[in-house]
Amino acid sequence: RSDDRTRIVGCAVCGDLKKALVEAHLTAPVRWLPSMPQALGIRNHYRNPAEHGSDRWFNALGSRRFSQNACVVVSCGTAVTTDALTEDNHYLGGTIMPGFHLMKEALAAKTANLDRPAGKVYPFPTTTPNAITSGMMDAVCGAVIMMHGRLQQKTGEGKPVDVIITGGGASKVVNALPKQFVLDNTVKIVDNLVIYGLLNWVAHEQEQTDTLPE
């Protein structure tokens, strides 16, 4: 709030229609923030920042509240993203894969006899529902571990590479990661990580405004 005027900022990867539906419930228009070539000292190496999901970018900006090391920033939502941020603030990019619901829907729609109820995660599943659920979790955990390994190689042995994970499936993923991996690395669950990225950017903008000459 500034001079009795409410300002609202946000980021989203949905279309304009859904953005308009959100704005219809608010008292002021939303300033939708895109990904940027650089911000808050972090350089974005995405080839075309305009097509870079702004949620991924602001998750990376928000991760600096929880880690100053190299880190893998993971978001478990409709899609699962794993992004790499170096210790010297280079956002290197990352991967996108279907989230749990999309994977299950794909199996149900595109394969025979695999439209099954949800199962549980087991090391050696012996029922089809458990095999599906365990396979999906292995895929997500594997993506996290692969990205961590690549960033560790780039960072150098002996230097920490943290994992910051957000989204509805975050706790399930952390519980399914190999115990030794969790013991050997700092793994933090942060709810609504993207909000912290937006807060960091808003604080920066306010600081810039406050320092302008009158």
Side-chain angles (χ1 to χ4, degrees):
R1 183 177 293 274
S2 174
D3 298 326
D4 295 324
R5 183 170 61 88
T6 298
R7 294 180 300 155
I8 303 175
V9 300
C11 67
V13 292
C14 60
D16 290 338
L17 179 60
K18 287 189 176 180
K19 289 179 181 178
L21 290 172
V22 170
E23 291 192 29
H25 293 279
L26 300 173
T27 58
V30 179
R31 179 181 164 216
W32 297 103
L33 298 175
S35 291
M36 306 155 185
Q38 59 182 19
L40 308 182
I42 296 176
R43 181 184 171 191
N44 189 350
H45 286 259
Y46 220 74
R47 187 172 298 177
N48 181 5
E51 69 176 21
H52 182 216
S54 57
D55 56 335
R56 295 169 65 191
W57 176 240
F58 283 97
N59 277 335
L61 296 187
S63 72
R64 278 299 180 231
R65 289 201 176 200
F66 306 95
S67 169
Q68 296 302 312
N69 300 320
C71 66
V72 177
V73 183
V74 184
S75 178
C76 300
T78 305
V80 173
T81 59
T82 63
D83 289 303
L85 182 62
T86 67
E87 78 232 52
D88 55 350
N89 287 329
H90 288 265
Y91 170 87
L92 302 179
T95 65
I96 305 172
M97 64 185 291
F100 296 109
H101 292 298
L102 286 179
M103 283 193 273
K104 190 174 187 306
E105 286 176 5
L107 283 174
K110 300 295 184 180
T111 59
N113 301 318
L114 290 184
D115 186 6
R116 303 297 181 89
K120 294 183 179 180
V121 173
Y122 287 97
F124 304 101
T126 54
T127 70
T128 299
N130 292 342
I132 291 171
T133 300
S134 300
M136 294 189 301
M137 185 59 76
D138 280 1
V140 173
C141 289
V144 174
I145 292 169
M146 286 291 290
M147 184 59 73
H148 186 275
R150 290 194 289 263
L151 186 54
Q152 182 72 74
Q153 186 175 26
K154 188 172 186 65
T155 302
E157 292 301 324
K159 293 184 178 180
V161 175
D162 300 339
V163 177
I164 310 297
I165 183 166
T166 191
S171 60
K172 290 191 297 184
V173 172
V174 171
N175 287 336
L177 285 168
K179 287 184 173 57
Q180 196 59 51
F181 179 88
V182 176
L183 288 172
D184 290 344
N185 300 285
T186 297
V187 180
K188 296 181 181 179
I189 298 172
V190 180
D191 292 334
N192 302 310
L193 179 61
V194 69
I195 298 296
Y196 292 101
L198 289 168
L199 286 171
N200 284 355
W201 176 252
V202 168
H204 166 74
E205 282 195 319
Q206 188 61 51
E207 183 179 291
Q208 294 294 102
T209 301
D210 291 344
T211 57
L212 287 175
E214 295 184 1

